[in-house]
Amino acid sequence: MNARYDQWVDYLYCAERQHAAVDRLSAAEPGLTLDDAYEIQDRLIARRISAGERIVGVKLGLTSAAKRRDMGIDEPIYGWLTSGMQLPSPASVDLRELIHPRAEPEIVFELGEDLAGPGVTPLDVLDVTRGVRCGLEVIDSRYAGFQFNLVDVVADNTSASQFVLGSTRVSVSDLVLPSLRCQLLADGVALSHATGAAVMGDPAAAVAQLANFLATRGQRLEAGWLVLSGGMTSAVELADHRDVRAEFDALGSVELAISR
Ligand code: OOG
Ligand code: MG
């Protein structure tokens, strides 16, 4: 299997570098398991690290009903964030360097201490959180038609492409995360809105589940890392717009300009 893992890593790495969509892994290899997919994901990130990037955090995916409905997958997933994915603010993305990008608003945790499962609770997450920011994640599935199953999307590092953070960091003691409101706008027009509760009832619960899941794979969240807790609303296709903006209660706003 090891040689085949590396073959799939090459396949997905090249698709990203060449911004060319590829067929789903599961079409060619229907026997791949979720464990295989996380192994491919780990090796994909190892490839980026040997090319000079470093891990800056973790992203959760499919933590809201809107995202699960849109993507047709009913369980949360996670992937890795690397230094090369973080955009300086004000951010802009160039459509010519991506495949079919979309953006989604997220609540982002900045961890002040390590956090290792099992048994991590939402309160433990709040205890180690240095602060929370708003963010926009740009996802860009490497699969044709932005269509995939659970195993495909996990192997593809959960469609991670780029992200940008808002400039305001707020202490968790000054926030009630489930009631934090956010609105997603494109070209100044409001598209959708949600509260933090859209993320598994409480984004801190989603992060706790992540820490516990990482523990089953011998991994932990580390001090200084960012955690993107998952898209709160449906994602918006960037090709249709000139800019996308997310406005949050208490956390300010974050914006992405789109060039082509
Ligand atoms: C999968 C990644 C989902 C989120 O926040 O739910 C994700 C996808 O939609 O392509 O990042
Ligand atoms: Mg996301």
Side-chain angles (χ1 to χ4, degrees):
M1 194 67 196
N2 276 6
R4 286 226 298 289
Y5 285 145
D6 289 330
Q7 172 197 320
W8 292 125
V9 170
D10 285 342
Y11 181 74
L12 291 165
Y13 190 77
C14 290
E16 190 197 348
R17 294 291 125 145
Q18 295 165 5
H19 9 104
V22 291
D23 291 337
R24 295 159 44 167
L25 248 62
S26 58
E29 195 151 340
L32 280 180
T33 65
L34 188 59
D35 281 343
D36 292 328
Y38 276 110
E39 178 66 33
I40 293 168
Q41 186 193 97
D42 279 349
R43 290 174 186 230
L44 195 58
I45 298 309
R47 174 80 62 94
R48 294 181 77 120
I49 289 168
S50 58
E53 294 188 55
R54 67 195 158 75
I55 303 269
V56 297
V58 190
K59 58 160 288 189
L60 278 153
L62 310 180
T63 50
S64 68
K67 287 289 305 182
R68 289 181 185 185
R69 182 197 56 224
D70 292 348
M71 308 324 291
I73 300 175
D74 226 12
E75 56 188 292
I77 53 180
Y78 74 86
W80 298 96
L81 301 173
T82 62
S83 44
M85 298 178 188
Q86 185 162 5
L87 298 169
S89 179
S92 79
V93 290
D94 187 339
L95 294 180
R96 288 166 297 190
E97 291 168 4
L98 297 165
I99 304 170
H100 39 204
R102 301 177 178 181
E104 53 198 17
E106 308 216 5
I107 292 172
V108 182
F109 291 72
E110 280 185 32
L111 302 181
E113 291 171 40
D114 288 4
L115 188 61
V120 172
T121 66
L123 270 182
D124 296 331
V125 171
L126 298 179
D127 273 350
V128 302
T129 299
R130 186 188 291 154
V132 171
R133 293 179 195 263
C134 62
L136 275 170
E137 186 189 17
V138 177
I139 48 173
D140 194 26
S141 173
R142 268 54 68 172
Y143 299 118
F146 224 110
Q147 288 191 332
F148 41 71
N149 67 18
L150 176 65
V151 164
D152 294 319
V153 68
V154 166
D156 185 28
N157 195 32
T158 64
S159 310
S161 175
Q162 297 178 330
F163 66 94
V164 55
L165 302 182
S167 55
T168 309
R169 185 173 82 192
V170 180
S171 158
V172 286
S173 55
D174 296 331
L175 293 168
V176 180
L177 290 173
S179 53
L180 197 69
R181 280 180 309 176
C182 124
Q183 187 167 48
L184 180 66
L185 304 96
D187 302 329
V189 176
L191 299 179
S192 45
H193 55 87
T195 63
V199 177
M200 293 173 61
D202 177 359
V207 178
Q209 188 170 322
L210 169 65
N212 292 327
F213 187 61
L214 285 175
T216 67
R217 306 194 68 240
Q219 294 166 328
R220 62 167 59 197
L221 295 170
E222 293 186 15
W225 281 5
L226 303 167
V227 181
L228 269 60
S229 58
M232 300 164 73
T233 67
S234 293
V236 52
E237 289 195 32
L238 300 192
D240 298 340
H241 301 287
R242 288 182 311 280
D243 63 76
V244 170
R245 178 180 172 87
E247 291 176 355
F248 282 71
D249 280 351
L251 302 180
S253 63
V254 56
E255 206 170 308
L256 195 61
I258 301 153
S259 62
R260 40 183 51 84

